[in-house]
Amino acid sequence: MTDRAQIFDIVAEQIAPFNKKGIALTESTTFAGDLEWDSLTVMDFVAAVEDAFDIIITMNMQAEIETVGQLVDAVAKLKG
């Protein structure tokens, strides 16, 4: 099982191409507020994360994920 730090690093790699403002990532970085992503960017990013981890993130889960840390937790849970 991939540990949380490894998941964070992979998520950070997936964020990089979408991080136009060069925001430093932390567990509390928000996608809408800090990174200023629109819904299309979020969809592209979610697809990249799903491919990277071979998981499916449901629309309900997406609605609850606001920070990088919450996404890391969700990926860890899905990877089981």
Short mmCIF file of all heavy atoms in Angstrom, two decimals, residues 26-65:
data_model
loop_
_atom_site.label_atom_id
_atom_site.label_comp_id
_atom_site.label_asym_id
_atom_site.label_seq_id
_atom_site.Cartn_x
_atom_site.Cartn_y
_atom_site.Cartn_z
N THR A 26 0.19 22.65 0.09
CA THR A 26 0.15 22.09 1.44
C THR A 26 -1.12 21.25 1.53
O THR A 26 -1.94 21.24 0.61
CB THR A 26 0.09 23.19 2.52
OG1 THR A 26 -1.17 23.87 2.41
CG2 THR A 26 1.23 24.18 2.37
N GLU A 27 -1.29 20.59 2.67
CA GLU A 27 -2.50 19.80 2.90
C GLU A 27 -3.75 20.67 2.81
O GLU A 27 -4.81 20.21 2.42
CB GLU A 27 -2.45 19.16 4.30
CG GLU A 27 -1.36 18.12 4.46
CD GLU A 27 -1.80 16.75 4.01
OE1 GLU A 27 -2.98 16.43 4.08
OE2 GLU A 27 -0.92 15.98 3.58
N SER A 28 -3.62 21.94 3.18
CA SER A 28 -4.79 22.82 3.24
C SER A 28 -4.99 23.69 2.00
O SER A 28 -5.90 24.51 1.95
CB SER A 28 -4.71 23.72 4.49
OG SER A 28 -3.55 24.51 4.42
N THR A 29 -4.17 23.49 0.97
CA THR A 29 -4.36 24.23 -0.28
C THR A 29 -5.71 23.87 -0.88
O THR A 29 -6.02 22.68 -1.03
CB THR A 29 -3.24 23.88 -1.30
OG1 THR A 29 -1.97 24.20 -0.74
CG2 THR A 29 -3.42 24.63 -2.60
N THR A 30 -6.51 24.88 -1.21
CA THR A 30 -7.82 24.62 -1.80
C THR A 30 -7.75 24.74 -3.33
O THR A 30 -7.00 25.57 -3.86
CB THR A 30 -8.89 25.59 -1.28
OG1 THR A 30 -8.52 26.92 -1.64
CG2 THR A 30 -9.05 25.47 0.23
N PHE A 31 -8.56 23.92 -3.99
CA PHE A 31 -8.56 23.92 -5.45
C PHE A 31 -9.27 25.16 -6.00
O PHE A 31 -8.77 25.81 -6.90
CB PHE A 31 -9.22 22.65 -5.99
CG PHE A 31 -8.48 21.40 -5.58
CD1 PHE A 31 -8.98 20.55 -4.62
CD2 PHE A 31 -7.24 21.10 -6.13
CE1 PHE A 31 -8.29 19.42 -4.23
CE2 PHE A 31 -6.53 19.98 -5.74
CZ PHE A 31 -7.06 19.13 -4.79
N ALA A 32 -10.41 25.50 -5.42
CA ALA A 32 -11.18 26.65 -5.92
C ALA A 32 -10.58 27.97 -5.46
O ALA A 32 -10.42 28.89 -6.26
CB ALA A 32 -12.63 26.54 -5.45
N GLY A 33 -10.22 28.06 -4.18
CA GLY A 33 -9.73 29.33 -3.63
C GLY A 33 -8.28 29.62 -3.94
O GLY A 33 -7.97 30.63 -4.58
N ASP A 34 -7.38 28.73 -3.51
CA ASP A 34 -5.94 28.98 -3.68
C ASP A 34 -5.48 28.82 -5.12
O ASP A 34 -4.76 29.66 -5.66
CB ASP A 34 -5.12 28.05 -2.77
CG ASP A 34 -5.40 28.30 -1.29
OD1 ASP A 34 -5.63 29.46 -0.92
OD2 ASP A 34 -5.40 27.33 -0.52
N LEU A 35 -5.88 27.73 -5.76
CA LEU A 35 -5.43 27.45 -7.12
C LEU A 35 -6.31 28.13 -8.17
O LEU A 35 -5.92 28.22 -9.34
CB LEU A 35 -5.38 25.94 -7.36
CG LEU A 35 -4.37 25.19 -6.49
CD1 LEU A 35 -4.53 23.68 -6.65
CD2 LEU A 35 -2.94 25.59 -6.83
N GLU A 36 -7.50 28.58 -7.75
CA GLU A 36 -8.43 29.30 -8.63
C GLU A 36 -8.80 28.49 -9.87
O GLU A 36 -8.84 29.01 -10.98
CB GLU A 36 -7.85 30.66 -9.03
CG GLU A 36 -7.63 31.58 -7.84
CD GLU A 36 -7.05 32.94 -8.24
OE1 GLU A 36 -6.92 33.23 -9.44
OE2 GLU A 36 -6.73 33.71 -7.31
N TRP A 37 -9.10 27.21 -9.65
CA TRP A 37 -9.49 26.35 -10.77
C TRP A 37 -10.96 26.50 -11.09
O TRP A 37 -11.79 26.58 -10.19
CB TRP A 37 -9.21 24.89 -10.43
CG TRP A 37 -7.76 24.54 -10.42
CD1 TRP A 37 -6.71 25.36 -10.68
CD2 TRP A 37 -7.20 23.27 -10.11
NE1 TRP A 37 -5.54 24.67 -10.56
CE2 TRP A 37 -5.80 23.40 -10.21
CE3 TRP A 37 -7.74 22.05 -9.74
CZ2 TRP A 37 -4.94 22.33 -9.97
CZ3 TRP A 37 -6.90 20.99 -9.51
CH2 TRP A 37 -5.51 21.13 -9.63
N ASP A 38 -11.28 26.46 -12.37
CA ASP A 38 -12.68 26.41 -12.78
C ASP A 38 -13.09 24.95 -12.91
O ASP A 38 -12.27 24.04 -12.76
CB ASP A 38 -12.90 27.19 -14.09
CG ASP A 38 -12.08 26.65 -15.25
OD1 ASP A 38 -11.63 25.47 -15.21
OD2 ASP A 38 -11.88 27.39 -16.22
N SER A 39 -14.35 24.72 -13.21
CA SER A 39 -14.87 23.35 -13.23
C SER A 39 -14.21 22.49 -14.31
O SER A 39 -13.99 21.29 -14.11
CB SER A 39 -16.38 23.34 -13.40
OG SER A 39 -16.75 24.03 -14.57
N LEU A 40 -13.85 23.09 -15.44
CA LEU A 40 -13.21 22.33 -16.51
C LEU A 40 -11.82 21.86 -16.09
O LEU A 40 -11.43 20.71 -16.33
CB LEU A 40 -13.13 23.17 -17.78
CG LEU A 40 -12.58 22.45 -19.02
CD1 LEU A 40 -13.46 21.25 -19.36
CD2 LEU A 40 -12.51 23.40 -20.19
N THR A 41 -11.07 22.73 -15.42
CA THR A 41 -9.75 22.36 -14.92
C THR A 41 -9.87 21.24 -13.90
O THR A 41 -9.09 20.28 -13.93
CB THR A 41 -9.06 23.59 -14.28
OG1 THR A 41 -8.96 24.62 -15.26
CG2 THR A 41 -7.67 23.24 -13.77
N VAL A 42 -10.87 21.34 -13.03
CA VAL A 42 -11.09 20.28 -12.03
C VAL A 42 -11.36 18.95 -12.72
O VAL A 42 -10.78 17.92 -12.33
CB VAL A 42 -12.27 20.65 -11.08
CG1 VAL A 42 -12.66 19.47 -10.21
CG2 VAL A 42 -11.88 21.85 -10.22
N MET A 43 -12.19 18.94 -13.75
CA MET A 43 -12.50 17.69 -14.45
C MET A 43 -11.25 17.09 -15.09
O MET A 43 -11.02 15.89 -15.02
CB MET A 43 -13.59 17.92 -15.51
CG MET A 43 -14.93 18.33 -14.93
SD MET A 43 -15.61 17.16 -13.73
CE MET A 43 -15.95 15.78 -14.77
N ASP A 44 -10.43 17.93 -15.73
CA ASP A 44 -9.19 17.45 -16.34
C ASP A 44 -8.25 16.89 -15.28
O ASP A 44 -7.62 15.85 -15.47
CB ASP A 44 -8.48 18.58 -17.10
CG ASP A 44 -9.20 18.97 -18.38
OD1 ASP A 44 -10.06 18.19 -18.86
OD2 ASP A 44 -8.90 20.05 -18.92
N PHE A 45 -8.15 17.59 -14.16
CA PHE A 45 -7.28 17.16 -13.07
C PHE A 45 -7.76 15.84 -12.46
O PHE A 45 -6.97 14.93 -12.23
CB PHE A 45 -7.21 18.25 -11.99
CG PHE A 45 -6.54 17.79 -10.73
CD1 PHE A 45 -5.18 17.51 -10.72
CD2 PHE A 45 -7.26 17.63 -9.56
CE1 PHE A 45 -4.56 17.08 -9.56
CE2 PHE A 45 -6.64 17.20 -8.40
CZ PHE A 45 -5.29 16.92 -8.40
N VAL A 46 -9.06 15.73 -12.23
CA VAL A 46 -9.62 14.50 -11.65
C VAL A 46 -9.31 13.32 -12.58
O VAL A 46 -8.91 12.25 -12.12
CB VAL A 46 -11.13 14.63 -11.39
CG1 VAL A 46 -11.77 13.28 -11.09
CG2 VAL A 46 -11.38 15.60 -10.24
N ALA A 47 -9.45 13.52 -13.88
CA ALA A 47 -9.15 12.46 -14.84
C ALA A 47 -7.68 12.05 -14.73
O ALA A 47 -7.35 10.84 -14.77
CB ALA A 47 -9.48 12.91 -16.26
N ALA A 48 -6.79 13.01 -14.58
CA ALA A 48 -5.36 12.72 -14.45
C ALA A 48 -5.07 11.92 -13.17
O ALA A 48 -4.29 10.96 -13.18
CB ALA A 48 -4.55 14.02 -14.46
N VAL A 49 -5.71 12.30 -12.07
CA VAL A 49 -5.53 11.60 -10.80
C VAL A 49 -6.08 10.18 -10.89
O VAL A 49 -5.45 9.22 -10.44
CB VAL A 49 -6.19 12.38 -9.63
CG1 VAL A 49 -6.24 11.53 -8.37
CG2 VAL A 49 -5.43 13.67 -9.38
N GLU A 50 -7.25 10.04 -11.50
CA GLU A 50 -7.84 8.71 -11.67
C GLU A 50 -6.91 7.80 -12.46
O GLU A 50 -6.71 6.64 -12.10
CB GLU A 50 -9.21 8.81 -12.35
CG GLU A 50 -10.28 9.40 -11.46
CD GLU A 50 -11.61 9.60 -12.16
OE1 GLU A 50 -11.63 9.78 -13.41
OE2 GLU A 50 -12.63 9.60 -11.46
N ASP A 51 -6.32 8.34 -13.53
CA ASP A 51 -5.39 7.55 -14.34
C ASP A 51 -4.13 7.20 -13.55
O ASP A 51 -3.64 6.08 -13.61
CB ASP A 51 -4.99 8.32 -15.61
CG ASP A 51 -6.13 8.40 -16.61
OD1 ASP A 51 -7.14 7.66 -16.45
OD2 ASP A 51 -6.03 9.21 -17.55
N ALA A 52 -3.60 8.16 -12.81
CA ALA A 52 -2.35 7.95 -12.07
C ALA A 52 -2.49 6.86 -11.00
O ALA A 52 -1.57 6.09 -10.76
CB ALA A 52 -1.89 9.26 -11.43
N PHE A 53 -3.66 6.81 -10.37
CA PHE A 53 -3.87 5.86 -9.27
C PHE A 53 -4.75 4.67 -9.65
O PHE A 53 -4.96 3.78 -8.83
CB PHE A 53 -4.50 6.58 -8.07
CG PHE A 53 -3.57 7.53 -7.38
CD1 PHE A 53 -3.64 8.89 -7.60
CD2 PHE A 53 -2.60 7.07 -6.49
CE1 PHE A 53 -2.78 9.78 -6.96
CE2 PHE A 53 -1.74 7.94 -5.85
CZ PHE A 53 -1.83 9.29 -6.08
N ASP A 54 -5.28 4.66 -10.88
CA ASP A 54 -6.18 3.61 -11.34
C ASP A 54 -7.38 3.47 -10.40
O ASP A 54 -7.67 2.39 -9.86
CB ASP A 54 -5.44 2.27 -11.47
CG ASP A 54 -6.26 1.24 -12.25
OD1 ASP A 54 -7.10 1.66 -13.07
OD2 ASP A 54 -6.07 0.03 -12.01
N ILE A 55 -8.05 4.61 -10.17
CA ILE A 55 -9.23 4.67 -9.29
C ILE A 55 -10.32 5.46 -10.00
O ILE A 55 -10.07 6.09 -11.03
CB ILE A 55 -8.92 5.35 -7.94
CG1 ILE A 55 -8.37 6.77 -8.16
CG2 ILE A 55 -7.99 4.50 -7.09
CD1 ILE A 55 -8.20 7.60 -6.89
N ILE A 56 -11.52 5.42 -9.43
CA ILE A 56 -12.63 6.25 -9.90
C ILE A 56 -13.08 7.14 -8.74
O ILE A 56 -13.38 6.65 -7.66
CB ILE A 56 -13.83 5.38 -10.35
CG1 ILE A 56 -13.44 4.44 -11.50
CG2 ILE A 56 -15.02 6.26 -10.72
CD1 ILE A 56 -13.08 5.15 -12.79
N ILE A 57 -13.09 8.44 -8.98
CA ILE A 57 -13.56 9.40 -7.98
C ILE A 57 -14.96 9.83 -8.41
O ILE A 57 -15.11 10.47 -9.45
CB ILE A 57 -12.61 10.61 -7.87
CG1 ILE A 57 -11.20 10.15 -7.50
CG2 ILE A 57 -13.15 11.62 -6.86
CD1 ILE A 57 -10.16 11.25 -7.53
N THR A 58 -15.96 9.46 -7.62
CA THR A 58 -17.34 9.77 -8.00
C THR A 58 -17.63 11.26 -7.90
O THR A 58 -16.91 12.00 -7.22
CB THR A 58 -18.33 9.01 -7.08
OG1 THR A 58 -18.20 9.53 -5.76
CG2 THR A 58 -18.08 7.51 -7.10
N MET A 59 -18.70 11.67 -8.55
CA MET A 59 -19.10 13.08 -8.49
C MET A 59 -19.42 13.49 -7.04
O MET A 59 -19.11 14.59 -6.63
CB MET A 59 -20.32 13.34 -9.38
CG MET A 59 -20.03 13.15 -10.86
SD MET A 59 -18.73 14.24 -11.46
CE MET A 59 -19.69 15.67 -11.91
N ASN A 60 -20.03 12.58 -6.28
CA ASN A 60 -20.33 12.88 -4.88
C ASN A 60 -19.05 13.11 -4.08
O ASN A 60 -18.98 14.01 -3.25
CB ASN A 60 -21.14 11.74 -4.23
CG ASN A 60 -22.57 11.72 -4.71
OD1 ASN A 60 -23.06 12.68 -5.28
ND2 ASN A 60 -23.24 10.61 -4.49
N MET A 61 -18.04 12.28 -4.33
CA MET A 61 -16.76 12.47 -3.64
C MET A 61 -16.13 13.80 -4.05
O MET A 61 -15.62 14.53 -3.21
CB MET A 61 -15.79 11.32 -3.95
CG MET A 61 -16.13 10.03 -3.26
SD MET A 61 -14.90 8.77 -3.63
CE MET A 61 -13.56 9.28 -2.57
N GLN A 62 -16.16 14.08 -5.34
CA GLN A 62 -15.57 15.34 -5.83
C GLN A 62 -16.19 16.54 -5.14
O GLN A 62 -15.49 17.49 -4.82
CB GLN A 62 -15.77 15.47 -7.35
CG GLN A 62 -14.91 14.54 -8.15
CD GLN A 62 -15.16 14.70 -9.64
OE1 GLN A 62 -15.30 15.81 -10.13
NE2 GLN A 62 -15.22 13.60 -10.35
N ALA A 63 -17.49 16.48 -4.92
CA ALA A 63 -18.19 17.60 -4.31
C ALA A 63 -17.72 17.86 -2.89
O ALA A 63 -17.79 18.99 -2.41
CB ALA A 63 -19.70 17.34 -4.33
N GLU A 64 -17.23 16.82 -2.22
CA GLU A 64 -16.79 16.95 -0.83
C GLU A 64 -15.31 17.30 -0.69
O GLU A 64 -14.85 17.66 0.38
CB GLU A 64 -17.06 15.64 -0.08
CG GLU A 64 -18.54 15.31 0.03
CD GLU A 64 -18.80 13.95 0.65
OE1 GLU A 64 -17.84 13.32 1.13
OE2 GLU A 64 -19.97 13.54 0.66
N ILE A 65 -14.55 17.19 -1.77
CA ILE A 65 -13.10 17.40 -1.72
C ILE A 65 -12.79 18.86 -2.07
O ILE A 65 -13.02 19.29 -3.20
CB ILE A 65 -12.37 16.44 -2.67
CG1 ILE A 65 -12.59 15.00 -2.23
CG2 ILE A 65 -10.88 16.79 -2.73
CD1 ILE A 65 -12.08 13.96 -3.22
#
